[in-house]
Amino acid sequence: MEQPARTNKKRIQTGKTTRTFVKPHVMEEWVGKVYTALCILVLVITIAAIVYFVSSRGLTTFIMDGVSLGGLLSGLKWDPEGDIPLYGALPFIFGSFSTSLLAALIAAPLGICAAVFMTQIMPGIGKKVLQPVIELLAGIPSVVFGFVGLSIVVPALRALFPGQGIGIAAGSIVLSLMILPTVTTIATDALAALPRGLKEASFALGATRWQTIYRTVLPTTLPALLTGVVLGMSRAFGEALAVQMVIGNSPHIPHSLFESASTLTSVITLDMGNTVMGSTHNNALWSLALILLSMTFVFVFIVRFLERRNQR
């Protein structure tokens, strides 16, 4: 015999009046859905507002002020206050990319090796000791990294190499320390999520532990490992204070790693407070911010591509 369908409502009849009561869990589910939808809506509106504001101010440089896009991206001289204002941002773009790439090259092997040690070699010590230390490193303020760079990294480079110690090398080392927790944490999660049967199959075929790590574990998790490296580069590309303290902030392309340079974030933070809102100089700084925002989107697209490749 067919059972009647269950209902989430309960009817109570008193005299000629019938009252309908909604079960509590239905009301909680409805409230949860509305709250989640509002949070997502606020997030989308915030991101759209940021993109619109930065884009509108950054494009004003080319539309209203007559600055050439090619001149901004390829110009070698930045002199907004000169008799003939020059807006060449190539030295800043070069500084941002060089420090980010070098920081990733330093942090990637260290972070991946630390993740291998914590998950494949000594997981007990790694989970109890090393992983909390790495997570604690992620919470250190950037100004502390800057002071460490000024107090330790710069004097060490000055003693070992010619120059004052400030420059691309110092900025890259400081940034590598800042992005190391990001690379290590993502690599650790990727290695820990690897199916156990995959390693057991490798051992069953006669492979040693090290052969299993570099022939099976690392190639399988390579897209996830690269995702951590790209996210680390994204943070390094947008860092301002720490790298500003050790790079020298000189608006030219350096000829060595030990010469002073500058980055997009450095010139924005140093000059933005000294400009008049709506001036060409101020709009040019917003154009540099638009370049940073565009590169953030590029990093996000790369991460999404690697995640889809990892899922396959």
Side-chain angles (χ1 to χ4, degrees):
M1 185 176 182
E2 186 176 353
Q3 296 293 332
R6 294 183 178 181
T7 179
N8 292 323
K9 297 181 179 180
K10 185 176 181 180
R11 297 178 181 273
I12 298 179
Q13 185 171 2
T14 57
K16 295 183 180 180
T17 305
T18 301
R19 297 180 181 178
T20 302
F21 294 91
V22 181
K23 292 185 177 181
H25 70 86
V26 178
M27 180 63 68
E28 292 176 358
E29 182 179 358
W30 181 81
V31 172
K33 290 181 178 180
V34 172
Y35 179 76
T36 304
L38 289 176
C39 291
I40 295 175
L41 181 62
V42 171
L43 182 62
V44 172
I45 292 176
T46 303
I47 296 175
I50 292 174
V51 173
Y52 171 77
F53 182 75
V54 176
S55 300
S56 61
R57 297 304 301 272
L59 294 176
T60 304
T61 309
F62 315 113
I63 299 175
M64 304 296 295
D65 299 327
V67 178
S68 171
L69 176 61
L72 181 71
L73 297 178
S74 61
L76 298 176
K77 188 172 180 59
W78 179 267
D79 187 15
E81 304 298 333
D83 296 334
I84 302 178
L86 298 175
Y87 301 95
L90 184 59
F92 311 132
I93 298 174
F94 176 83
S96 295
F97 273 103
S98 59
T99 52
S100 300
L101 289 174
L102 289 175
L105 290 177
I106 297 172
L110 295 176
I112 293 174
C113 289
V116 169
F117 180 83
M118 289 189 295
T119 58
Q120 307 298 320
I121 300 177
M122 299 190 70
I125 295 179
K127 187 175 182 179
K128 294 180 181 179
V129 180
L130 294 181
Q131 191 168 359
V133 172
I134 295 296
E135 293 174 354
L136 180 63
L137 186 64
I140 298 178
S142 59
V143 65
V144 176
F145 285 101
F147 277 120
V148 171
L150 283 175
S151 303
I152 299 177
V153 177
V154 172
L157 293 177
R158 185 187 302 125
L160 296 175
F161 302 98
Q164 299 298 318
I166 58 176
I168 297 292
S172 300
I173 294 174
V174 171
L175 287 177
S176 66
L177 295 177
M178 296 185 65
I179 68 176
L180 184 60
T182 302
V183 178
T184 305
T185 301
I186 296 178
T188 301
D189 295 339
L191 294 174
L194 191 68
R196 184 177 180 85
L198 192 63
K199 294 186 293 184
E200 293 178 349
S202 178
F203 292 143
L205 294 175
T208 63
R209 180 172 62 179
W210 291 107
Q211 289 175 335
T212 301
I213 289 174
Y214 71 80
R215 290 185 178 180
T216 303
V217 174
L218 293 180
T220 303
T221 58
L222 183 60
L225 300 179
L226 293 178
T227 299
V229 176
V230 173
L231 288 176
M233 287 183 59
S234 177
R235 183 189 177 187
F237 197 83
E239 178 57 38
L241 183 57
V243 67
Q244 176 184 327
M245 296 172 67
V246 297
I247 200 172
N249 305 307
S250 179
H252 72 273
I253 297 179
H255 296 88
S256 71
L257 298 177
F258 309 103
E259 292 185 13
S260 61
S262 187
T263 62
L264 291 169
T265 52
S266 298
V267 68
I268 291 174
T269 54
L270 289 174
D271 291 359
M272 185 62 77
N274 301 320
T275 60
V276 179
M277 186 68 69
S279 63
T280 305
H281 187 185
N282 183 269
N283 293 334
L285 294 177
W286 281 107
S287 299
L288 300 184
L290 181 59
I291 295 175
L292 283 172
L293 184 63
S294 302
M295 287 308 305
T296 301
F297 287 145
V298 170
F299 286 128
V300 170
F301 290 147
I302 294 175
V303 169
R304 297 296 297 174
F305 172 77
L306 293 174
E307 289 179 351
R308 291 179 181 177
R309 185 176 179 182
N310 189 32
Q311 294 174 357
R312 295 178 183 176

